[in-house]
């Protein structure tokens, strides 16, 4: 469906003559003159269906709320596409759009007759929203299904409790998750400081792209690169063989397993058409890794094994749900798939994954609250294992029980933090997949020489790259709420040390200090601008530089440096080599990536 919307000060039309053999019947009472009207020129295309109407209605509702017209006119218009639906189908869907819009909108809705040549006069208001176009694709391959869930609280002792009967006195974060997931409660929200922090470090929406796509300035690139490398490091720390791969992000819906997997994923796929063939943009690394793994010759002796990629991933999230650094339409997923022989082995390995997920959150000083999505048969047959998982959590968990056989997984665990505005935010995840081994024909040869389909663990141990950064920045937001100075870990800071000479006469010494620090792979820059010392120090503090080094006459004479440490607000005089050693110990175990900017601030534009 294609829509050209015009907010018109006035609009009128007249029916001239039939444009098709069987035009829509004229009723003789059609309204033909309008004022302050939103005119929707609508073309129904061959692939459109009721799902298209539903999506279009959502767009129309948002537009009506923004421009506040007095009335709305649906005007059939076949000139926006060459891929037209048959007239009967077009009339059916246009009438459906008219009926649903009449029910949902608080203004009068009208429809011009289909299949007639019409003359019209239009006076457009000319404001920024007065002329807009929309292309709405059917969700036939991604229809959202309504699935009944039964919710419980599962305690470490194995007790299943109705959420309304559970005592949340000692579990306030679990209560917040339950209120959102079970009761659909709209949380109060407020000013999310993470949005400000994201912009501080160069994470922004890209206005020249589809909304929901981000751009990454040089400081953000350091953080993205560091987390990406760290995610690979974490994957290898599980104690199983892991293989890193790369691949494409576009897969044909003509491929049966891709199509079937898309049906299961839901209604948030990006689809593109090339040479009259439809493709889906991947929403994780699944398609590429599975397409590779089906061609591998695997023995039971090599299992379990993992396959890893930081995959550019695409999800057509709703505009109202988009959140900078957290929910985007394109993001980077450190996706690990672990092949196992059977469900029992998958459960055993998943416990290692679970432990690693909690370990990584704890390094940031955070604890997760968990939502376990499980199938009815898994709850019935593996309840003891489920309880064992819960014993390893931070307390009781929310369990959503779904009918068996709908999804490819039997257990799907979401790990949420409660952020600085008291909203649950899913970060890490793991799931046990019993369907895609067969769907993609990924097999291993067992002890008897027989081929068996693998059971697959999907996991993002630290979450997507951006969501991990969100958790880091949210931790800083909580620190700020406690009245302390917010900071981020030194290994993740875009600039780890800034050297500031008191004046130009001490620049040579400052450069000497800079060179000694830089030789050790530490991200260090030097503020050689012709600004006051106070301004330079304030700017370094605003940029959350973990270590600010100031050098002047006393430092030159004593061959020392004066260091301000952000995390504890401590001021110390030390040798340069002492600072290097201090930082090396602090970032030990984390990847150290390169600078993304010139070392001299005088060479940088303002971002």
């Amino acid at each position: 469906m294609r829509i050209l919307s015009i907010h018109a000060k006035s609009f009128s039309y007249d029916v001239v003559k039939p444009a098709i053999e069987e035009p829509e019947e004229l009723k003789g009472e059609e309204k033909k003159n309008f004022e302050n009207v939103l005119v929707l020129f609508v073309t129904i295309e061959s692939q459109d269906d009721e799902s298209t109407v539903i999506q279009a209605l959502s767009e129309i509702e948002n537009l009506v709320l923004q421009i506040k017209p007095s009335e709305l006119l649906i005007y059939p218009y076949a000139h926006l596409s060459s891929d037209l639906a048959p007239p009967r189908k077009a009339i059916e869907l246009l009438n459906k759009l008219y009926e649903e819009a009449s029910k949902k909108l608080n203004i009068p809705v009208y429809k011009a007759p289909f299949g007639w040549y019409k003359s019209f006069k239009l006076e457009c208001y000319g404001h920024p929203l007065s002329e807009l176009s929309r292309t709405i694709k059917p969700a036939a391959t991604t229809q959202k299904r309504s699935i009944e869930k039964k919710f419980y609280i599962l305690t470490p002792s194995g007790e299943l409790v109705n959420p309304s009967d559970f005592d949340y006195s000692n579990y306030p974060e679990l209560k917040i998750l339950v209120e959102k997931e079970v009761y659909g409660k709209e949380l109060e929200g407020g000013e999310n400081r993470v949005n400000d922090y994201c912009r501080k470090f160069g994470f922004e929406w890209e206005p020249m792209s589809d909304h929901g796509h981000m751009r990454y300035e040089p400081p953000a690139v350091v953080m993205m690169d560091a987390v990406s490398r760290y995610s690979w490091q974490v994957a290898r720390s599980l104690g199983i063989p892991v293989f890193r791969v790369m691949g494409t992000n576009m897969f044909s819906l003509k491929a049966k397993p891709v199509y079937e997997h898309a049906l299961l994923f839901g209604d948030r796929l990006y689809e593109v058409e090339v040479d009259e063939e439809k493709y889906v943009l991947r929403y994780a690394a699944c398609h590429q890794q599975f397409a590779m793994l089906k061609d591998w010759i695997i023995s039971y002796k090599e299992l379990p094994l993992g396959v890893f990629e930081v995959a550019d991933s695409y999800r057509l999230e709703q505009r109202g749900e988009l959140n900078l650094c957290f929910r985007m339409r394109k993001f980077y997923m450190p996706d690990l798939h672990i092949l196992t022989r059977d469900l029992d082995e998958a459960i055993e390995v998943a416990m290692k994954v679970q432990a690693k997920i909690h370990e990584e959150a704890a390094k940031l000083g955070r604890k997760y609250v968990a939502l376990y999505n499980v199938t009815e048969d898994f709850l019935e047959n593996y309840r003891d294992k489920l309880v064992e998982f819960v014993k390893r959590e931070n307390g009781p968990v929310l369990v959503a029980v779904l009918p068996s056989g709908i999804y490819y997984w039997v257990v799907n665990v979401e790990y949420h933090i409660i952020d600085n505005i008291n909203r649950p935010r899913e970060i890490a995840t793991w799931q046990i997949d019993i369907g895609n081994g067969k769907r993609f024909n990924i097999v291993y040869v067992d002890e008897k020489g027989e081929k068996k389909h693998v059971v697959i663990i999907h996991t993002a141990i630290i979450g997507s790259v951006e969501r991990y950064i969100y958790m880091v920045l949210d931790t800083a937001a909580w620190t700020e709420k406690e009245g302390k100075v917010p900071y981020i870990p030194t290994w993740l800071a875009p600039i780890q040390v800034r050297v500031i000479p008191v004046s130009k006469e001490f620049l040579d010494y400052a450069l000497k200090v800079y060179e000694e620090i830089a030789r050790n792979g530490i991200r260090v820059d030097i503020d050689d601008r012709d600004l006051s010392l106070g301004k330079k120090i304030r700017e370094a503090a605003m940029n959350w530089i973990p270590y600010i080094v100031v050098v002047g006459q006393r430092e030159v004479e004593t061959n020392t440096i004066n260091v301000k440490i952000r995390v504890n607000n401590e001021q110390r005089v030390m040798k340069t080599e002492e600072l290097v050693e201090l930082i090396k110990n602090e970032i030990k175990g984390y990847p150290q990536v390169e600078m993304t900017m010139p070392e001299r601030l005088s060479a940088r534009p303002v971002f």
Side-chain angles (χ1 to χ4, degrees):
M1 181 186 295
R2 295 177 187 265
I3 299 176
L4 172 64
S5 64
I6 305 289
H7 187 200
K9 185 175 183 180
S10 64
F11 182 85
S12 62
Y13 75 89
D14 283 311
V15 176
V16 178
K17 63 180 180 180
I20 59 175
E21 289 186 6
E22 295 182 14
E24 191 172 15
E25 184 179 351
L26 297 177
K27 298 178 181 179
E29 55 188 24
E30 292 85 4
K31 181 176 179 178
K32 298 178 180 177
N33 297 282
F34 305 86
E35 293 182 357
N36 185 23
V37 59
L38 178 60
V39 185
L40 302 177
F41 293 90
V42 182
T43 300
I44 304 296
E45 298 181 290
S46 62
Q47 299 299 317
D48 289 337
D49 56 23
E50 287 195 8
S51 72
T52 322
V53 172
I54 293 169
Q55 293 179 73
L57 186 59
S58 176
E59 296 271 358
I60 293 165
E61 284 183 284
N62 289 335
L63 190 54
V64 167
L65 286 172
Q66 291 180 76
I67 67 174
K68 297 179 174 55
S70 300
E71 46 196 353
L72 183 139
L73 174 64
I74 298 171
Y75 194 97
Y77 198 69
H79 308 296
L80 301 178
S81 172
S82 59
D83 182 25
L84 300 177
R88 288 184 182 274
K89 180 179 179 181
I91 291 171
E92 177 187 341
L93 293 180
L94 284 165
N95 285 334
K96 181 71 174 177
L97 181 61
Y98 167 74
E99 291 165 7
E100 294 300 322
S102 299
K103 292 177 188 175
K104 292 202 171 186
L105 300 180
N106 294 321
I107 58 173
V109 179
Y110 303 92
K111 184 177 76 67
F114 179 91
W116 296 86
Y117 290 117
K118 297 180 285 288
S119 62
F120 64 81
K121 293 181 180 179
L122 180 152
E123 183 180 359
C124 179
Y125 274 111
H127 58 73
L129 297 178
S130 61
E131 300 177 68
L132 297 171
S133 62
R134 294 282 189 274
T135 298
I136 301 170
K137 297 186 177 183
T141 61
T142 59
Q143 191 69 36
K144 202 172 188 177
R145 61 182 85 187
S146 178
I147 299 170
E148 183 180 354
K149 296 181 181 180
K150 299 174 185 176
F151 288 99
Y152 302 96
I153 303 299
L154 181 57
T155 69
S157 64
E159 185 182 8
L160 275 177
V161 184
N162 190 300
S164 61
D165 298 330
F166 188 75
D167 180 3
Y168 297 95
S169 301
N170 297 319
Y171 308 102
E173 294 193 336
L174 178 61
K175 183 180 180 182
I176 292 172
L177 180 64
V178 168
E179 286 176 341
K180 176 182 181 292
E181 296 292 336
V182 179
Y183 303 114
K185 180 179 178 181
E186 288 295 329
L187 303 173
E188 292 181 6
E191 181 186 359
N192 189 351
R193 290 290 284 150
V194 176
N195 292 334
D196 300 325
Y197 298 163
C198 286
R199 295 185 187 99
K200 176 190 291 291
F201 290 109
F203 296 89
E204 297 179 339
W205 294 123
E206 176 47 69
M208 297 182 73
S209 179
D210 176 27
H211 188 50
H213 291 248
M214 287 171 53
R215 64 184 181 191
Y216 307 87
E217 301 281 6
V221 171
V222 170
M223 299 174 74
M224 292 290 291
D225 195 8
V227 174
S228 295
R229 294 193 200 181
Y230 185 60
S231 65
W232 168 232
Q233 187 174 311
V234 170
R236 288 181 295 162
S237 71
L238 282 171
I240 62 173
V242 182
F243 301 83
R244 188 167 184 177
V245 299
M246 293 178 65
T248 184
N249 60 8
M250 188 184 299
F251 291 84
S252 173
L253 285 169
K254 286 172 64 176
K256 186 170 181 279
V258 173
Y259 177 79
E260 290 177 349
H261 202 203
L263 283 174
L264 294 170
F265 180 75
D267 62 348
R268 299 193 176 188
L269 297 180
Y270 266 101
E271 292 182 23
V272 296
E273 188 169 322
V274 181
D275 297 332
E276 300 184 352
E277 184 172 343
K278 287 190 174 181
Y279 296 83
V280 62
L281 295 179
R282 64 177 175 184
Y283 34 88
C286 305
H287 290 139
Q288 183 59 87
Q289 292 186 11
F290 295 168
M292 284 187 183
L293 287 166
K294 71 179 179 57
D295 298 328
W296 291 15
I297 299 173
I298 303 169
S299 165
Y300 72 95
K301 296 177 183 178
E302 294 146 5
L303 297 179
L305 67 81
V307 184
F308 177 89
E309 180 185 3
V310 179
D312 53 325
S313 305
Y314 304 81
R315 301 185 186 181
L316 196 56
E317 303 285 9
Q318 301 302 305
R319 292 178 74 91
E321 295 178 340
L322 296 172
N323 191 96
L324 194 65
C325 288
F326 182 79
R327 191 180 296 279
M328 299 81 66
R329 289 180 171 175
K330 181 201 172 183
F331 57 97
Y332 292 90
M333 176 71 84
D335 219 357
L336 173 64
H337 293 93
I338 303 171
L339 308 190
T340 63
R341 287 176 289 184
D342 51 35
L343 187 51
D344 288 334
E345 184 175 69
I347 290 171
E348 180 183 338
V349 176
M351 288 185 179
K352 294 181 181 179
V353 171
Q354 176 197 34
K356 185 62 67 174
I357 285 172
H358 284 297
E359 178 186 326
E360 291 306 318
K363 288 179 181 179
L364 298 177
R366 301 304 292 260
K367 288 186 177 181
Y368 285 126
V369 56
L371 167 58
Y372 275 66
N373 299 284
V374 302
T375 59
E376 290 174 342
D377 55 353
F378 188 82
L379 177 62
E380 180 180 349
N381 299 325
Y382 289 88
R383 182 165 173 171
D384 58 332
K385 295 295 185 183
L386 195 57
V387 172
E388 191 174 341
F389 276 115
V390 175
K391 287 179 180 177
R392 298 163 178 256
E393 298 291 349
N394 294 314
V397 303
L398 176 61
V399 175
V401 183
L402 295 86
S404 305
I406 294 178
Y407 293 112
Y408 53 84
W409 47 259
V410 291
V411 56
N412 178 353
V413 184
E414 304 170 10
Y415 289 100
H416 297 255
I417 59 168
I418 304 303
D419 73 4
N420 68 100
I421 54 173
N422 287 316
R423 293 195 173 195
R425 299 292 193 185
E426 181 188 346
I427 305 294
T429 182
W430 62 266
Q431 60 185 238
I432 296 178
D433 170 358
I434 62 168
N436 280 312
K438 183 176 182 181
R439 179 172 292 113
F440 284 83
N441 196 31
I442 304 169
V443 299
Y444 71 96
V445 179
D446 70 7
E447 297 91 329
K448 299 178 181 178
E450 297 176 354
K451 290 184 178 180
K452 299 284 183 66
H453 291 111
V454 297
V455 173
I456 306 170
I457 298 170
H458 302 232
T459 183
I461 294 174
I462 64 171
S464 74
V465 174
E466 290 87 348
R467 287 194 179 190
Y468 181 85
I469 292 170
Y470 183 96
M471 181 162 63
V472 169
L473 297 178
D474 181 68
T475 305
W478 278 110
T479 302
E480 186 179 46
K481 286 182 76 171
E482 294 168 358
K484 302 174 185 176
V485 176
Y487 66 93
I488 60 175
T490 300
W491 73 272
L492 201 52
I495 301 298
Q496 294 165 322
V497 182
R498 175 158 295 167
V499 181
I500 303 175
V502 170
S503 62
K504 283 188 175 181
E505 64 182 293
F506 303 109
L507 181 58
D508 287 344
Y509 184 74
L511 284 168
K512 178 184 173 184
V513 171
Y514 158 79
E515 289 168 359
E516 185 173 348
I517 297 172
R519 274 198 302 271
N520 288 275
I522 294 169
R523 290 188 296 275
V524 54
D525 61 14
I526 184 165
D527 195 338
D528 61 336
R529 298 172 299 171
D530 190 17
L531 299 173
S532 70
L533 177 63
K535 186 173 174 110
K536 292 179 180 181
I537 293 174
R538 283 194 301 274
E539 187 174 314
M542 288 174 60
N543 290 325
W544 294 11
I545 308 294
Y547 295 91
I548 302 173
V549 172
V550 177
V551 294
Q553 184 65 44
R554 183 177 59 183
E555 286 73 33
V556 171
E557 291 173 352
T558 58
N559 195 31
T560 60
I561 54 177
N562 191 318
V563 183
K564 177 73 174 290
I565 305 173
R566 182 176 181 83
V567 68
N568 56 16
N569 205 29
E570 183 182 355
Q571 191 106 12
R572 291 173 57 183
V573 174
M574 61 179 77
K575 297 288 188 180
T576 304
E577 55 266 29
E578 290 180 69
L579 175 61
V580 169
E581 193 63 25
L582 178 65
I583 294 173
K584 281 186 172 182
N585 288 332
E586 186 178 350
I587 65 177
K588 186 177 181 180
Y590 291 98
Q592 186 67 346
V593 304
E594 301 78 14
M595 290 271 289
T596 55
M597 296 179 282
E599 64 276 5
R600 288 179 179 248
L601 268 68
S602 61
R604 300 178 191 171
V606 177
F607 299 122

